[in-house]
Amino acid sequence: MDQNHMKKQINSARNSLFQQGYLDEQFIQLEDLQDDANPNFVEEIVTLFYSDSTRLIRNIETALDNYPLDFCKLDDYMHQFKGSSSSIGAKKVKDECSQFQECCKARNTEGCIGIFRQVKHEHATLKRKLETYFQVSPSNSLENRHTLQRNTQLCAAD
Amino acid sequence: MTVEEIRGVVAGNNEINRFPIGMRVLAVDDDPTCLKLLDGLLRKCQYQVTTTNQAITALKMLKENRNRFDLVISDVYMPDMDGFKLLELVGLEMDLPVIMLSGNSDPKLVMKGITHGACDYLVKPVRLEELRNIWQHVIRRKVESKPQSKSNNNHEKSNQGNEGGDQNVKLNRKRKDEDEDVEENGHESDDDPSSQKKPRVVWSIDLHRKFVAAVNQLGDEKAVPRRILDLMNVDGLTRENVASHLQKYRLYIKRISHQANMVAAFGGSKDASSYMRMSPLEGLGDFRILSSSGRLSNAAYAPSGILGRLNSATGVTLHSLMAPPLVQPNHTQNKLQPVNHQNMNLFQEIPSSFDQCSNKPNTQLTDFSSIEESRIFTGNKLVDFNSIDESRMFTGSNPLMDPSVGLGSKSLKLSSTGSESFNLLSSSSNFLDQNGNQPPNFSSNQLPVGGNYGYSATVKGGICSNITTTDTIPLEAHGGGLVDEIVQNVNNQSLSNQKNGQYSKQDYSQYSQNAFSTLASLALASGGGGGLSGPLSHGGLNGGTSALFKTEMPSLEMKMRSSEDGLVVNNGYGSLDGLMTGMMKREQEARMIVDGEFGYDSYAFGPCA
């Protein structure tokens, strides 16, 4: 029962991430890649994303401090950032990145600065949510999955 | 070659029967997140994955052992090296299929990838389904190169003891080509023992000319490989070589006619022009050439190298197709054999169309298409072509095309469309002759983009001549030797370019009057490494322009073939710049119109205008 309950919690946490638009189907692809050979694939790749994106964010911040803004460089940075965000399915982050790139194209300084704040915000929010999610969801090892399945059946039988 | 053989070849020792399982992929991406994702996805497909986040490291690995990998996937945007550059180097030097990966789905970039020779372009985030099918690119290459390389391999082996130049590839090469030949030969020889892919037979212009002559002589029905081989009387050429060449030639002819029809039907779509305006190529020598050609065509379209590249085969073809309108209808110079009479008309028309082109970008294309391509090929008009108002055609051409530079530097490399395209040209003529039909029967439904066919189209006299005549390219110059030189240059260029990604520009200027034919040859020659091995005999241009084209085509085709998988034939648009560009552009346009199959569809051919 407990496991079932926990499982439900995990599921609802996960579902809300999708429903609220924080994640998209790309994240499901990540989950599909997780198997016995790669039991922690999702968590690993998300961690990798966050460590790498921190560097990118710093670069962008530095670039945003230099006036006049070098829109080409900013666009390049954002392109990279967007690429990795989309790779893990970080939907909201990716959307903000696109907006940022639009501002770059329009050479809109104020817009860039404003949008970037949003980018960072979404980036941080998602990080928090994913951390929570990973904490509650067990590693998807075969053993755990079997346990979950058994528990589900048991619960169902109840 | 049976599937099992291919699999065995491709998959290496352990996975012979399980291909695509175990296919060895090299993934390159500077972004660690993406790289990890790619790694995971590829492993899920059960490929054998090697990853690196540095393009330089990837190149090193590939250079160390070409046979270590079957396929390369590379990001476009990388800090240490431009993805396109890597693509070129890998595709050309190592002849491995390369797939581009980018977060940017801009069609211009996709086009660029194609022109640079990518066999596919994926947009991030990459999905598993997309990766499941990438093995097809490996097989495709193997299949394409196998038969030829096999024969070529045998041939080469038998020629080990012969003098350096005495290989079918090097047949009839003039001295200028010798260097190239040696290089090419060496290149091939190097590949031979170690690589699974056997070097292909390079159909030099001379060789192709002989081939076409033989085919013409025999007539369509009797033109069987064995007889053609006998007639050609070329050392080291095998029946298999001829057979596959013949097949391509026939396909090309068909495609050309179809295309011609299509182009006619299309009529002045503006799309081509817009396509032509696609982003210019960067940094590729040959691209510049292409751009130049763009100039020829009045730069209606952006002289992007892409066009050039793509068009190498197709562009050229189309271009040539387009050219006809310009030709003055009554201006036939029937230098070529009578049979080419029809072709000549085509040429004649070309000039006129060009003129028109300059004024109305798209209209000409349409007209052109209706022109009998065969005529273009005939090349008789080449001379006439020269009389075309080239300047008009080329005005506004690509800044890349520097007239002053043109002469010496323009590389003739036309695109590696390869001999095939060339073949088509010649074959088209023949084709036409036999059928007695001129007109848009070329109907090759598709100008093979990667294929050689495309190339041939352009080469076909009309276009070539147009291009050559452009102001930018001083046609002056050498007399008969021009073609040869050009061809050589082209070939050389192709080779060297392939390696360096740059095509030196051959002396466009060489193109003088006869340049037309030369151009054709060049176009063919530029096909890329070893495309046109022999310089088109300039002298023969007038009379034998078509022949030249023919020869060139094969080489171009060869090149194109290699690029079929998406590798753009950088080869050698170089010298032919204007010519090729124009040709290619037209071709592309035509292609685009006609044949959606070509990867270059997006190329907008800008009409001369």
Side-chain angles (χ1 to χ4, degrees), chain A residues 142-154:
Chain A
L142 191 60
E143 185 193 303
N144 284 352
R145 262 185 280 143
H146 283 171
T147 310
L148 277 175
Q149 281 169 12
R150 250 180 283 127
N151 291 337
T152 313
Q153 286 162 7
L154 286 173

Side-chain angles (χ1 to χ4, degrees), chain A residues 26 29-30 32-33 35 41 44-45 48-49 52 76 79-80 83-84 86-88, chain B residues 30-34 36-37 40-41 44 77 102-104 124-129:
Chain A
Q26 181 63 23
Q29 288 246 329
L30 299 183
D32 285 344
L33 290 178
D35 52 21
F41 185 77
E44 282 168 9
I45 197 172
L48 193 53
F49 166 72
D52 188 54
D76 279 347
H79 177 77
Q80 295 179 59
S84 27
S86 63
S87 293
I88 65 157
Chain B
D30 66 306
D31 186 315
T33 312
C34 297
K36 186 174 170 72
L37 173 66
L41 291 170
K44 188 88 179 178
Y77 182 88
S102 175
N104 195 334
K124 292 185 191 173
V126 182
R127 294 191 314 279
L128 190 65
E129 311 84 71

Side-chain angles (χ1 to χ4, degrees), chain B residues 183 413 492-502 504:
Chain B
E183 182 187 2
K413 294 195 179 233
N492 288 326
Q493 294 291 346
S494 307
L495 275 184
S496 51
N497 283 346
Q498 283 179 352
K499 308 216 159 139
N500 310 321
Q502 295 179 0
S504 47

Side-chain angles (χ1 to χ4, degrees), chain B residues 404-452:
Chain B
S404 54
V405 180
L407 291 186
S409 54
K410 292 205 199 293
S411 39
L412 283 184
K413 294 195 179 233
L414 285 181
S415 42
S416 50
T417 341
S419 43
E420 284 186 349
S421 52
F422 189 80
N423 291 333
L424 281 178
L425 280 180
S426 38
S427 46
S428 339
S429 319
N430 296 330
F431 205 70
L432 291 174
D433 296 337
Q434 287 169 4
N435 299 332
N437 284 335
Q438 281 181 344
N441 294 337
F442 251 154
S443 3
S444 358
N445 294 324
Q446 332 146 349
L447 278 180
V449 172
N452 314 326

